[in-house]
Amino acid sequence: MSSYNLIFTAHYERIEKRFLKRHPDLLERYQRTLALLEDNPFQPALHLHALQGQLAGLHAVSINLQYRITLELQIHEHEIILVSVGSHGEVY
């Protein structure tokens, strides 16, 4: 059983579809990142970090050195609401 529940909003699903269409080579890595996130977002491999400025209140995890997933992490409910996926410049 997973420790966290990933929430895929309709908005995120549109962004995800575009991202995977542009980067089909990242599908396996992306799916692995989601599995790790669902199991434990605090795993060092994800490089979870809080965002600042206009994105304060959100967090980000790394798919690889170039691509990130931004998310809203609700610890008390063990929910992770996915917000965006893309390159560093696209999600920040």
Side-chain angles (χ1 to χ4, degrees):
M1 183 171 170
S2 299
S3 298
Y4 289 79
N5 184 28
L6 299 182
I7 309 294
F8 292 82
T9 64
H11 175 75
Y12 181 83
E13 288 178 340
R14 284 191 301 275
I15 294 169
E16 175 189 53
K17 183 177 179 180
R18 237 182 341 219
F19 174 77
L20 292 173
K21 187 174 183 177
R22 285 185 300 200
H23 307 287
D25 54 311
L26 291 175
L27 177 62
E28 186 177 323
R29 181 77 185 225
Y30 174 71
Q31 290 173 332
R32 195 170 349 138
T33 301
L34 291 179
L36 288 172
L37 189 58
E38 190 173 38
D39 181 53
N40 178 4
F42 302 101
Q43 293 182 56
L46 291 172
H47 303 286
L48 176 73
H49 58 282
L51 300 178
Q52 299 176 359
Q54 291 181 335
L55 298 177
L58 297 179
H59 288 74
V61 295
S62 297
I63 298 172
N64 63 19
L65 290 174
Q66 184 177 0
Y67 296 101
R68 309 280 187 274
I69 299 173
T70 56
L71 51 99
E72 182 178 327
L73 185 60
Q74 298 180 8
I75 303 295
H76 62 282
E77 297 177 19
H78 277 250
E79 289 185 343
I80 298 173
I81 301 170
L82 302 170
V83 175
S84 188
V85 61
S87 70
H88 187 277
E90 292 169 336
V91 298
Y92 299 143

